[in-house]
Amino acid sequence: MDVLNPATGGVVATVPASGLAETDSAIERARGAFDAWRSVAPGERARLLRRFASIVDEHVEELAALEVAQAGHTIGNARWEAGNVRDVLNYYAGAPERLSGRQIPVPGGLDVTFHEPLGVVGVIVPWNFPMPIAGWGFAPALAAGNTVVLKPAELTPLTALRLAELGLDAGLPEGVFTVVPGKGSVVGQRFVTHPAVRKVCFTGSTEVGKQIMAGCAEQVKRVTLELGGKSANIVFADSDLELAAASAPAAVYDNAGQDCCARSRILVQRSAYDRFMALLEPAVKAFRCEDPSLETAQMGPLISAGQRASVESYVDGAEVAFRGSAPDGDGFWYPPTVLTARSTGDRHWREEVFGPVVSVLPFEDEADAVRLANDTEYGLSGSLWTRDLGRAIRVARAVETGTLSVNSHSSVRYWTPFGGVKQSGLGRELGPDAPLAFTETKNVFFRTEE
Ligand code: NDP
């Protein structure tokens, strides 16, 4: 597999793709390592994860440079992403010593619950956030006593492969955390069909997620799905319009819009529409799309020529309100673009574009805003802007989405649960309960009567 630099189109590295035999042997090694790993004393498992975190910390610059090269992420974002792996490892290093069960009062004896690890967990990662999404899966899974096989996206395997090496350097036993690069239809599919893989943690498109869910049903395999989104950024007339407009570009164009949480629909109350658009235009035009290795870059290229063609297909024939700029020449560049929706039937209003394109539509009142925000099959993220506290609470409760921010454009934090409703996914990642999702609760009754 040739790994391309999206900013230049040049080849960064060539990685051998694993076939079925290599995948099976990685899964067998993970199965073989499980019994010993689950038996490692909780404090020792915690120590190894903390060691893994500090080794990642020592390699933040190297990992970030790899991510800039293979994914076109801005250097600022890439450093944050490598740091996120470190932080998530440290956070879940607290879990092994806190996986407490319960003692439940029952007649005639003592009843105790245990949180038992599942076995081998298969993590399937997309190309949009190769490092954080990997860490959100493997860190809590390892902390709970599982072993992990992880398939990175074909386009972006390099940082995951390096993380697996750093895990070994930290002292993780062989087979506990293995990265298996290769095709989704081969490696990823084998995670679904191999009986030793007891849970699949998938992030990617809704279409593939549905296939994974159907495949896992064959073995009643546990599954977590983090899928697409078409999140709404709802701006009420009573909000701090300057702040809402200033943050709207980052809310959708971060990572060139290739973000499942991208607020790619802006709903603006009609009475504030003109003022908001007048504020949004300079903010979009000032958004710096440039060589991602520059410290000043806010946005880099799209991941591939195919992704750029797909994004372009949404803009062709649509009403462009205004757009920013992007470099010319080699690389998969696309400028930040604002479209005005003619109706909620517009394809760019309904489908996940996964690029630096946002659609804007006015609404009349609170009920209208909620109706329009919920008029989608997705429900992952979103924002709302208002100074009215009661309205903030009402609308936050009424919008059908898993993760929402009020008067802020960011909502993903490793301390809090993350995931979608409707066709945006199943299950939650991150937050204090994530390790429990990689365990089964076992209930044991001890008779105490003579
Ligand atoms: P996919 O859903 O195809 O890929 C995500 C991951 O799943 C990749 O590792 C992929 O492998 C793997 N995969 C693909 N097919 C299978 C399969 N049959 N069984 C098991 N694993 C599989 O997303 P794409 O990369 O093709 O992106 C397409 C669209 O999906 C985007 O434009 C965007 O709309 C959406 N998307 C959403 C994401 C999110 O975060 N919610 C992330 C990425 C994409 P491989 O690399 O070999 O294809």
Side-chain angles (χ1 to χ4, degrees), residues 124-129 133 151-155 182-190 192 202-209 211-212 226-229 258-261 307 310 352-354 378 380:
I124 301 174
V125 180
W127 45 260
N128 62 335
F129 289 107
I133 292 174
K151 193 204 94 64
E154 278 176 80
L155 299 173
K183 282 186 171 303
S185 54
V186 178
V187 180
Q189 180 60 19
R190 191 62 183 137
V192 174
F202 172 82
T203 306
S205 61
T206 297
E207 190 189 344
V208 175
Q211 291 169 31
I212 303 254
E226 295 298 345
L227 309 175
Q258 303 164 121
D259 180 347
C260 48
C261 290
Q307 192 65 18
S310 162
E352 183 176 44
V353 176
F354 228 59
Y378 294 115
L380 188 56

